[in-house]
Amino acid sequence: MSLTNYLNTYFYHTDELCHALKIDAEQLFAWQEQGLFPKPSYSIQNQIKCSSFLGIYECEEFTDYYPRGCAQWGLDLVKHKASNSAHAYELFYQQYMQSLSKYQQQGFSCQDERFNDDLCEQVQNAWQQFLCSKYGAISQNGLVEELVQIELGRAIVDEITEDRTAASINQELRPRLLQAIKLLNRAFSHPAKHERSLSLRERYIDALILKYDLSIK
């Protein structure tokens, strides 16, 4: 699949996102400037040379792409009438904590300080990464819940595998490791071809399945 087809399949370009949110591009850019909404995950610059009966025309076009889950975040901003970054962060914090609580109740837990004593700092860091669109590029839809799945799943994997350096895994720990990898599998995007070898999916799922002889089916 070409990069353009990949982006058009899994992401919204600016006009599509604005249509889904029933806002104009000026409102979207204002949200971004105010620290309420993520930046685009991908920005494409195209040099176009068009040939027709009337001659040759050359131009440059720019297209921004956003994960489709951004539409839900925008609808939440509207629903809760978030008008500043502090209000938007409060909404993000609530969604983050609700998702974290849900997965902890399902048995996903670890000793990592980010999910214990340093939790408030972890959420603040996640908020900044959310706004700069880190998670829009590595998650399936850019949802807050997926962000929690990714960070919690990675923390559990790193804890069990000694930051993915352990030569083997104790048999008793394998079910817990497999559970964490399945959580990551639900959240990680299937990256574009040029990003696969460096992707978190490659490092935390594909490589570990081979290294520890696992299966996520």
Side-chain angles (χ1 to χ4, degrees):
M1 182 184 291
S2 72
L3 179 58
T4 300
N5 287 340
Y6 170 82
L7 294 173
N8 286 329
T9 299
Y10 296 107
F11 293 80
Y12 283 144
H13 58 67
T14 303
D15 289 344
E16 289 174 322
L17 178 61
C18 289
H19 178 75
L21 293 174
K22 298 181 180 178
I23 63 173
D24 55 29
E26 286 73 19
Q27 177 65 67
L28 177 63
F29 299 149
W31 278 351
Q32 292 171 331
E33 288 297 317
Q34 294 163 8
L36 280 70
F37 199 89
K39 299 292 185 182
S41 296
Y42 292 90
S43 294
I44 302 298
Q45 178 180 349
N46 285 325
Q47 302 287 341
I48 297 176
K49 184 174 183 179
C50 175
S51 178
S52 73
F53 176 78
L54 298 178
I56 295 176
Y57 171 71
E58 296 184 14
C59 67
E60 189 174 57
E61 291 186 355
F62 299 87
T63 308
D64 290 333
Y65 288 91
Y66 298 83
R68 299 199 169 195
C70 272
Q72 183 58 58
W73 176 251
L75 292 173
D76 289 341
L77 291 178
V78 173
K79 176 182 178 181
H80 294 277
K81 299 179 181 178
S83 58
N84 56 59
S85 185
H87 192 179
Y89 173 71
E90 180 182 349
L91 178 61
F92 177 88
Y93 182 88
Q94 292 172 353
Q95 293 185 8
Y96 189 104
M97 296 303 292
Q98 288 171 357
S99 293
L100 179 60
S101 177
K102 179 177 76 171
Y103 290 109
Q104 288 176 332
Q105 290 173 12
Q106 293 176 9
F108 293 97
S109 61
C110 63
Q111 301 302 313
D112 193 309
E113 290 300 315
R114 291 177 300 165
F115 296 97
N116 293 282
D117 293 343
D118 296 339
L119 182 57
C120 287
E121 182 180 351
Q122 160 68 8
V123 180
Q124 291 172 351
N125 289 336
W127 169 241
Q128 295 303 319
Q129 293 170 339
F130 177 74
L131 289 179
C132 75
S133 206
K134 168 185 174 181
Y135 294 101
I138 67 174
S139 69
Q140 297 217 18
N141 301 289
L143 298 171
V144 176
E145 181 174 9
E146 292 173 340
L147 181 161
V148 175
Q149 291 173 331
I150 288 172
E151 294 308 327
L152 183 59
R154 289 177 63 192
I156 295 171
V157 168
D158 286 342
E159 183 175 275
I160 295 172
T161 65
E162 300 174 12
D163 293 327
R164 294 167 284 126
T165 65
S168 61
I169 300 299
N170 185 297
Q171 194 66 30
E172 294 180 355
L173 293 176
R174 289 172 72 86
R176 185 164 170 254
L177 175 60
L178 187 58
Q179 182 188 44
I181 289 178
K182 286 182 176 179
L183 184 68
L184 292 173
N185 188 52
R186 287 155 52 187
F188 279 145
S189 66
H190 292 274
K193 185 176 181 180
H194 71 280
E195 296 176 327
R196 275 177 206 161
S197 62
L198 299 176
S199 70
L200 289 176
R201 173 172 284 278
E202 167 63 27
R203 288 154 51 192
Y204 276 86
I205 297 180
D206 299 338
L208 296 187
I209 288 174
L210 290 175
K211 183 173 184 177
Y212 301 122
D213 190 22
L214 300 168
S215 173
I216 60 172
K217 294 181 180 178

